[in-house]
Amino acid sequence: DIVMTQSPDSLAVSLGERATINCKSSQSVLCSSNNKNYLAWYQQKPGQPPKLLIYWASIRESGVPDRFSGSGSGTDFTLTISSLQAEDVALYYCQQYYCARPGYTFGQGTKLEI
Amino acid sequence: QVQLVQSGAEVKKPGASVKISCKASGYTFTTYYLHWMRQAPGQSLEWVGWINPANGGTKYSQKFQGRVTTTRDTSASTAYMELTSLRSEDTAVYYCARGPVTGAFDIWGQGTMVTVSS
């Protein structure tokens, strides 16, 4: 299985400042058949299910504020929140999904606080 | 609106089975796979398996092979996940989520807490 490792485990950022969360996969999630990175980012608030923020590593889901952006390719990815808002306090997970090899694995999560 | 609504919390004894439902609304049930994940207390998410509602095809994580079965009732737009031979380590919130086989999960159910305790 592909192992996803996030860093840091927790992060405290001031309101209005930039937050950066990293995700590294044990194998490349760039699919040669279509040149897409099979990588998503989710936000989870306490007592709620995860919410999809970013897919294909950099495509923002409909309705997600544009302060959220994703970047990276191959094995190294980043979720950036350009200007932290109070409502962004949450756990964030990266996930790789099925390209050529069956499996969907999540990172261990990053706790984002003010 | 598009939503997935799951059945309520369950408390089971070790060795028992649990069956959770996931009812879809707001979209055509057969056009998206449904995945099942679980999240143990304080832990990350773990993929359990998926079902193709169009034809009932399934695929499971090797970890759960032999203990999990996913089914669907297209007339009720509902998918089910049954987990057998429960042990304390199966205590978790179980989620269903909509998504393609090769894609992210865009709609999630609210979660079903399963507690396994003697």
Side-chain angles (χ1 to χ4, degrees):
Chain A
D1 283 0
I2 297 177
V3 177
M4 309 300 289
T5 304
Q6 294 180 226
S7 62
D9 289 333
S10 63
L11 179 64
V13 174
S14 300
L15 289 172
E17 295 299 303
R18 178 185 300 258
T20 301
I21 298 171
N22 301 301
C23 176
K24 190 173 186 67
S25 58
S26 60
Q27 301 171 47
S28 175
V29 299
L30 176 62
C31 233
S32 56
S33 61
N34 58 9
N35 206 38
K36 286 185 173 181
N37 287 286
Y38 282 53
L39 190 286
W41 289 95
Y42 298 86
Q43 175 193 67
Q44 187 178 33
K45 296 182 179 180
Q48 296 184 20
K51 173 188 173 184
L52 177 63
L53 296 175
I54 302 283
Y55 59 97
W56 301 129
S58 62
I59 308 298
R60 201 178 303 115
E61 174 72 339
S62 175
V64 173
D66 61 7
R67 64 180 180 274
F68 290 90
S69 63
S71 62
S73 184
T75 61
D76 292 280
F77 300 89
T78 300
L79 174 70
T80 302
I81 307 171
S82 60
S83 177
L84 191 72
Q85 305 299 303
E87 61 265 31
D88 301 334
V89 168
L91 274 164
Y92 291 83
Y93 294 97
C94 62
Q95 178 216 11
Q96 66 87 17
Y97 42 92
Y98 190 162
C99 171
R101 195 174 293 112
Y104 310 81
T105 50
F106 293 82
Q108 81 277 16
T110 294
K111 185 176 184 179
L112 178 58
E113 300 172 307
I114 304 292
Chain B
Q1 73 280 24
V2 176
Q3 61 178 351
L4 298 172
V5 177
Q6 298 182 223
S7 50
E10 302 266 10
V11 179
K12 296 291 182 181
K13 292 198 182 304
S17 300
V18 68
K19 189 170 185 176
I20 301 166
S21 67
C22 171
K23 182 172 176 59
S25 62
Y27 72 98
T28 302
F29 179 63
T30 53
T31 57
Y32 289 87
Y33 283 59
L34 278 173
H35 298 258
W36 292 90
M37 269 72 59
R38 76 178 187 182
Q39 187 171 36
Q43 301 299 309
S44 182
L45 295 142
E46 182 175 32
W47 179 74
V48 176
W50 57 245
I51 184 166
N52 178 355
N55 60 15
T58 58
K59 188 163 191 70
Y60 306 125
S61 166
Q62 248 184 324
K63 176 175 178 176
F64 300 98
Q65 200 85 33
R67 281 209 303 143
V68 67
T69 304
T70 55
T71 56
R72 94 288 191 217
D73 178 350
T74 55
S75 66
S77 297
T78 300
Y80 303 89
M81 186 204 71
E82 183 174 25
L83 189 62
T84 62
S85 302
L86 290 169
R87 35 213 190 225
S88 58
E89 310 89 88
D90 294 318
T91 294
V93 177
Y94 288 76
Y95 293 102
C96 61
R98 186 184 84 164
V101 173
T102 56
F105 307 151
D106 64 343
I107 303 293
W108 291 63
Q110 83 278 16
T112 297
M113 180 71 213
V114 175
T115 302
V116 183
S117 173
S118 54

